[in-house]
Amino acid sequence: YKPAGTTLNYYAIDEDQRRASLFYEYNEEIIKYTIYMNDDDSSFSQKNADVLIDKYNIQNNQFTIYVEELMIQNSSSVRYVAEFKNQGVHYQLKGRLEKKEFEKILNNLFLFEK
């Protein structure tokens, strides 16, 4: 699922770091979806000056997704960051969009089993 009007603008594959990133545009904002292969103790690093408003889990049909809702510094806008891991692969989705749309994307994610 992707909200109406969402377009894939760019993608990058870094074989050395075993990372793929897809950049979508939605309502003149960027939504970034990253897939990252690494050791179990690895995590996404991100610089965050934003203020944490809420954190919660979403359970879709396949896995549990950790979500953070962040108030963007010097703004009244909110950013959502979702992270989950499946079969040793780390996933992250982040962007500024309506909470309802963000959660609908997460609830409709599915992964192919090996």
Side-chain angles (χ1 to χ4, degrees), residues 97-108:
L97 63 159
E98 301 85 5
K99 183 175 186 174
K100 179 176 131 183
E101 289 291 353
F102 189 78
E103 290 181 356
K104 190 169 182 181
I105 292 169
L106 297 177
N107 283 315
N108 285 285

Side-chain angles (χ1 to χ4, degrees), residues 49-102:
D50 300 339
V51 177
L52 180 65
I53 297 171
D54 193 14
K55 55 186 175 180
Y56 56 96
N57 290 324
I58 289 181
Q59 181 68 44
N60 77 3
N61 292 327
Q62 287 187 292
F63 36 82
T64 301
I65 304 168
Y66 174 75
V67 179
E68 289 185 344
E69 182 177 358
L70 304 158
M71 178 64 70
I72 298 171
Q73 189 174 25
N74 301 321
S75 171
S76 61
S77 296
V78 174
R79 175 187 338 272
Y80 295 94
V81 179
E83 296 182 0
F84 60 97
K85 188 171 102 171
N86 186 21
Q87 298 186 20
V89 180
H90 300 264
Y91 298 84
Q92 183 184 68
L93 179 69
K94 65 196 250 180
R96 289 198 308 189
L97 63 159
E98 301 85 5
K99 183 175 186 174
K100 179 176 131 183
E101 289 291 353
F102 189 78

Side-chain angles (χ1 to χ4, degrees), residues 1-42:
Y1 170 79
K2 63 181 182 178
T6 302
T7 57
L8 176 63
N9 279 359
Y10 176 76
Y11 66 89
I13 299 173
D14 185 330
E15 292 182 23
D16 293 335
Q17 293 188 17
R18 302 182 340 165
R19 178 188 311 244
S21 298
L22 295 96
F23 299 85
Y24 294 89
E25 184 174 341
Y26 171 69
N27 287 345
E28 300 179 8
E29 296 289 343
I30 298 297
I31 300 170
K32 182 179 177 186
Y33 185 51
T34 303
I35 304 164
Y36 184 60
M37 303 269 307
N38 205 345
D39 298 329
D40 285 341
D41 63 347
S42 176

